[in-house]
Every structure is written in C-alpha cells, then in structure tokens.
C-alpha cells in the first residue's frame, strides 16, 4: 500500500496531492502502530518506540497546521464579507431615510475636498456608530484637533482582517473599503 501510494505521488499527476500525501502518512502511521504492537516484549517502551510515536505526532501536527491556517483565513474572509454586507445595508438604510445615497464628501464647504469627511462618516449611524457620529463636528474639517482625536478610534467594521495593514495617513488609520465617488477632473471628462 505504501509503495503504491508513493508511486502514485511520484509518477502521476499532482491532482489531489494533499490527499495522496495524507494517505501516505496515514499508511505509515498505521504500519508503524501495528509494528509497535507486534514487537512488544516487555512492560516498558523502548527508545525506538518512543521516537516513532514522537515522529508520528510531529507529522500529524505538521499536517494540521496548514488546515488551521486555512480555517483562520476562511474566518477572516467571512468577517470581510460580513463587513461589506453591513456597509451595503447601511447605505440602503441611509438611502431609505434621506431619499438618496450619501454624497462623496460631507463637511464644511469652505475647505478643500480632501479635508472634508468621507461618505463613510455619513453612514456611521447606520453602522451602530451613532456615538462617534454625534461627537464629530461636521462644521470643522476632519483634521481639526477636535475631530482628529475622535477619528483615532477605529471602527472594526471599516477594516478587513485579511487585508494587510494599510499605512496610516498622518497617524490616522485607513479603511479597507472604498467607493467610486465620481470622475477625477484631472483626467478630463469621464476620467477615473
């Protein structure tokens, strides 16, 4: 059985290589277990038997680690999808309450667009962040000391756990989620 599995892994396609390797390890474990039982002569364990058991446990741990990492990544991916779902629902609730989707930026009109708040601030009450939204002063730019101190509190809904940490801009955390908010006039009509 072991030689057939080894031959299959070595000479045939790499399709389902993980299962083939797992079968090979299972066959070795099975053969080693029965070899230990068959050679048993006294009430104690020999050094060889102990080393074989430790090697088997090590192989099983080595096989389980990738599965654990895969499960963690699946959990992070599910959390990302849940965040996107919550943002989508918040956008729909905002639209139901106001009759339109939030504007690209909100805040004082007398400051440049890059100093105004993002559309994400408009949907904070619908993301269960009403306290943060009420504490922000929308008549001041986002980088005003009052607002800057509040924006240091980062909402977990606005970051994807699978996303590598984005570099903070001027000490402020960045979101993992963005939206197309219109054409950029630097590229002319219809630019991106």
């Amino acid at each position: 059985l072991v030689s057939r599995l080894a031959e299959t892994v070595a000479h045939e396609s790499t399709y389902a290589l993980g299962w083939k390797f797992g079968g090979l390890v299972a066959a070795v474990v099975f053969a080693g277990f029965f070899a230990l039982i068959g050679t048993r002569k006294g009430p104690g364990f020999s050094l060889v038997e102990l080393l074989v058991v430790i090697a088997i446990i090590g192989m099983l741990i080595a096989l389980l680690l990738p599965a654990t990492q895969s499960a963690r990544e699946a959990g992070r991916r599910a959390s990302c999808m849940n965040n996107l779902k919550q943002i989508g629902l918040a956008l729909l609730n905002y639209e139901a309450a106001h009759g339109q989707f939030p504007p690209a930026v909100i805040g004082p009109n007398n400051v440049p667009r890059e100093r105004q708040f993002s559309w994400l601030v408009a949907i904070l009450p619908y993301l269960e962040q009403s306290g943060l939204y009420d504490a922000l002063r929308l008549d001041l730019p986002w980088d005003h000391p009052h607002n800057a101190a509040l924006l240091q509190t980062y909402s977990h809904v606005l970051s994807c756990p699978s996303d590598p940490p984005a570099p903070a801009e001027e000490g402020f955390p960045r979101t993992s989620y963005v939206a197309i908010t219109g054409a950029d006039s630097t590229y002319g009509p219809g630019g991106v």
Side-chain angles (χ1 to χ4, degrees), residues 2-185:
V2 172
S3 65
R4 174 67 182 131
L5 283 171
E7 180 182 318
T8 302
V9 169
H11 297 295
E12 294 184 17
S13 114
T14 58
Y15 174 74
L17 189 60
W19 286 104
K20 292 175 184 177
F21 182 71
L24 183 63
V25 170
V28 169
V29 169
F30 187 72
F33 179 72
F34 279 106
L36 286 176
I37 291 175
T39 60
R40 187 112 171 129
K41 294 184 176 121
F45 287 108
S46 72
L47 180 61
V48 174
E49 291 173 338
L50 184 62
L51 291 176
V52 167
V53 169
I54 290 172
I56 291 171
I57 291 172
M59 281 191 282
L60 291 175
I61 289 173
L63 288 173
L64 289 176
L65 283 177
T68 304
Q69 292 298 328
S70 177
R72 285 181 183 162
E73 180 56 32
R76 289 190 293 261
R77 197 170 36 252
S79 177
C80 270
M81 289 190 313
N82 185 43
N83 289 349
L84 284 170
K85 181 180 173 184
Q86 286 189 18
I87 290 171
L89 288 172
L91 284 166
L92 290 174
N93 288 335
Y94 181 95
E95 191 273 333
H98 299 281
Q100 63 183 11
F101 286 107
V105 292
I106 60 174
N109 292 329
N110 59 348
V111 296
R113 183 178 173 130
E114 58 271 1
R115 292 186 65 206
Q116 295 178 345
F117 290 100
S118 163
W119 59 275
L120 287 167
V121 171
I123 65 170
L124 282 176
Y126 305 99
L127 290 171
E128 299 177 1
Q129 298 288 324
S130 296
L132 176 60
Y133 181 80
D134 293 339
L136 289 171
R137 293 214 22 217
L138 300 179
D139 60 330
L140 299 172
W142 71 267
D143 56 356
H144 185 275
H146 171 78
N147 289 331
L150 292 170
L151 292 174
Q152 292 295 332
T153 61
Y154 193 56
S155 175
H156 67 281
V157 176
L158 301 178
S159 67
C160 177
S162 290
D163 212 8
E169 184 175 311
E170 298 177 16
F172 296 97
R174 302 180 93 183
T175 180
S176 298
Y177 310 106
V178 296
I180 298 172
T181 57
D184 187 348
S185 61

